[in-house]
């Protein structure tokens, strides 16, 4: 029996050009399942997916008709119809989803803990994006933590990996590590991990806008908080930075200030997406290097084993979650109109760093 639903379609060439498109979802064919998407987080990270699509293919995970596409999100969904012998109706999943009311998947490698979507469009992509956790068998899952899981779990995995990466490199010999967009969830997660593990004599600096200083300082995860218009006040002879913002002006300012004393330039996100296309060629000092978390994760899984990786991540996540729950006010807004409004608010940077938006089109 077919069910009616909807998608939030976005123009890749102009992320502000979006529209709600109705759709019909048929009963799944053999070996497939139909999911009803319950809820998902909308954060600056999702805007980064839209901006980085040409490089990383985020638009390709959930193909759409015409010139529009669907920006991926992280959230929860329930199996409402199944033609797969190992997946039951009512199974609740967490993972990578489109901004839609429903999604058909092709489960493969089903275990008590999760499954892999073998849909054709998702083949050849980083495996981490194709894996769905089965909530009943997920050791990191608690029903009361769903909002925080959607908001932070995919981002915290990147935070965890960045912490490990910088430690493995001895912080590149820098006296300080600066994190741009210090109020962003990925930066907060990394700063928390750095503080929890200790950094010795290395100072962790949070770079943020004047409007967010009080919020960032109040969290206590940075040794120092510096505004973008006061970069000259960073008190360190050498520096490594992690660019969560993607703002070309800030990146150039850091390279011009430090030159060869800049030990490493790490590119991660694009929360300041409106400034990311500015000219950043011929920068003094080291060439910025892109950190692709899924590839680094696969390398660590190969070294530690899947169980070892999950144990390390789970321990770090538990410590982070206990603190982060007090940082964020979760705002839950559901429905087609609400989902579109939350997307646009996030796109234009109108969401306070203390707010975590949960939405859904159903």
């Amino acid at each position: 029996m077919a069910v009616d639903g909807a998608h939030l379609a976005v123009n890749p060439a102009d992320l502000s050009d979006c529209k709600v498109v109705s759709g019909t979802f048929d009963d799944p064919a053999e070996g497939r399942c139909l999911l009803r998407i319950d809820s998902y987080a909308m954060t600056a990270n999702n805007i980064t997916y839209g901006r980085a699509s040409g490089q990383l293919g985020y638009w390709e995970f959930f193909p759409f008709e015409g010139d529009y596409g669907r920006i991926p999100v992280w959230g929860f969904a329930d199996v409402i119809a199944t033609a797969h012998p190992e997946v039951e109706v009512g199974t609740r999943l967490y993972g990578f989803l489109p901004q839609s009311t429903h999604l058909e998947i092709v489960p493969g490698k089903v275990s008590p803990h999760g499954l892999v979507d073998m849909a054709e469009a998702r083949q050849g992509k980083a495996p981490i994006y194709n894996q769905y956790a089965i909530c009943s068998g997920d050791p990191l899952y608690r029903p009361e933590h769903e909002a925080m899981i959607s908001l932070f779990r995919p981002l915290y995995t990147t935070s965890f990996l960045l912490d490990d990466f910088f430690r493995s490199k001895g912080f590149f010999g820098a006296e300080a590590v600066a994190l741009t967009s210090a109020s962003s969830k990925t930066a907060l997660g990394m700063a928390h991990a750095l503080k929890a593990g200790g950094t010795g004599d290395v100072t962790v600096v949070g770079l943020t806008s004047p409007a967010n200083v009080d919020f960032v300082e109040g969290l206590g995860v940075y040794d120092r908080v510096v505004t973008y218009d006061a970069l000259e006040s960073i008190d360190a002879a050498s520096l490594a930075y992690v660019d969560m913002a993607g703002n070309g002006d800030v990146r150039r300012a850091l390279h011009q200030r430090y030159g060869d004393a800049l030990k490493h330039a790490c590119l991660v996100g694009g929360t300041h997406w409106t400034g990311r296309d500015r000219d950043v060629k011929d920068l003094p000092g080291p060439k910025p290097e892109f950190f692709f978390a899924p590839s680094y994760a696969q390398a660590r899984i190969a070294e530690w084993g899947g169980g070892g990786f999950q144990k390390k991540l789970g321990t770090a996540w538990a410590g982070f979650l206990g603190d982060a729950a007090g940082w964020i006010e979760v705002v839950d807004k559901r429905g087609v109109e609400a989902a579109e409004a939350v997307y646009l608010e996030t796109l234009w940077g109108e969401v306070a760093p203390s707010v975590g938006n949960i939405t859904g089109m159903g």
Side-chain angles (χ1 to χ4, degrees):
M1 179 177 178
V3 295
D4 294 329
H7 314 275
L8 182 60
V10 179
N11 183 349
D14 178 3
L15 300 187
S16 65
D17 177 13
C18 63
K19 59 183 179 180
V20 174
V21 179
S22 61
T24 301
F25 301 85
D26 296 321
D27 284 340
E30 184 177 355
R32 298 170 180 259
C33 298
L34 180 63
L35 310 182
R36 183 187 66 82
I37 298 172
D38 180 34
S39 65
Y40 55 85
M42 175 52 60
T43 73
N45 182 57
N46 304 110
I47 306 305
T48 299
Y49 289 156
R51 295 292 295 177
S53 61
Q55 305 167 33
L56 304 176
Y58 286 113
W59 295 100
E60 299 170 9
F61 280 92
F62 307 109
F64 201 67
E65 300 174 357
D67 295 331
Y68 285 74
R70 291 178 289 175
I71 293 178
V73 292
W74 292 89
F76 291 88
D78 298 300
V79 177
I80 62 169
T82 180
H84 192 288
E86 297 179 88
V87 183
E88 298 179 353
V89 168
T91 300
R92 192 161 179 83
L93 304 173
Y94 167 77
F96 211 46
L97 302 165
Q99 292 188 84
S100 300
T101 55
H102 299 78
L103 172 68
E104 185 177 86
I105 62 171
V106 185
K109 301 180 182 178
V110 180
S111 77
H113 306 293
L115 57 84
V116 176
D117 185 6
M118 304 302 293
E120 182 178 353
R122 300 175 72 160
Q123 301 315 297
K125 305 292 194 299
I128 194 171
Y129 295 119
N130 298 333
Q131 298 171 357
Y132 289 89
I134 295 177
C135 295
S136 61
D138 180 4
L140 299 183
Y141 175 78
R142 299 289 184 278
E144 64 272 22
H145 293 162
E146 282 195 354
M148 295 298 289
I149 290 172
S150 292
L151 286 164
F152 279 105
R153 183 163 160 180
L155 303 176
Y156 186 76
T157 301
T158 299
S159 304
F160 167 80
L161 295 168
L162 282 165
D163 171 71
D164 178 78
F165 173 62
F166 271 76
R167 291 184 190 282
S168 72
K169 300 297 185 181
F171 300 100
F172 297 92
E175 287 189 9
V177 175
L179 281 60
T180 72
S181 194
S183 64
S184 70
K185 294 173 179 62
T186 308
L188 292 178
M190 182 182 179
H192 186 278
L194 290 170
K195 185 177 180 65
T199 57
D201 295 331
V202 178
T203 301
V204 180
V205 181
L207 303 180
T208 192
S209 63
N212 292 336
V213 168
D214 289 344
F215 171 75
V216 174
E217 287 184 336
L219 304 180
V221 294
Y222 295 100
D223 297 315
R224 291 195 61 206
V225 177
V226 174
T227 56
Y228 295 120
D229 57 359
L231 297 180
E232 69 280 356
S233 67
I234 298 176
D235 186 17
S238 58
L239 184 78
Y241 74 78
V242 184
D243 186 7
M244 312 285 187
N247 188 306
D249 292 338
V250 173
R251 194 183 309 164
R252 177 169 290 282
L254 289 170
H255 280 261
Q256 289 178 335
R257 169 165 168 69
Y258 278 94
D260 292 338
L262 190 62
K263 299 299 183 180
H264 185 70
C266 180
L267 307 184
V268 179
T271 58
H272 297 181
W273 64 269
T274 53
R276 65 181 284 123
D277 295 327
R278 306 205 179 196
D279 181 18
V280 287
K281 297 178 181 178
D282 302 320
L283 295 173
K287 181 180 179 180
E289 298 181 13
F290 184 68
F291 181 84
F292 187 48
S295 296
Y296 190 80
Q298 289 303 116
R300 279 306 194 213
I301 289 170
E303 181 179 350
W304 298 339
F309 179 87
Q310 290 300 328
K311 183 177 180 179
K312 290 175 182 288
L313 176 59
T315 299
W317 166 254
F320 172 76
L321 185 62
D323 290 335
W327 299 347
I328 299 296
E329 175 193 358
V330 175
V331 177
D332 194 318
K333 303 176 182 178
R334 307 286 181 93
V336 171
E337 292 181 359
E340 183 178 14
V342 168
Y343 165 73
L344 289 171
E345 289 170 4
T346 307
L347 175 68
W348 295 118
E350 297 172 352
V351 181
S354 59
V355 170
N357 277 320
I358 299 296
T359 189
M361 297 192 68

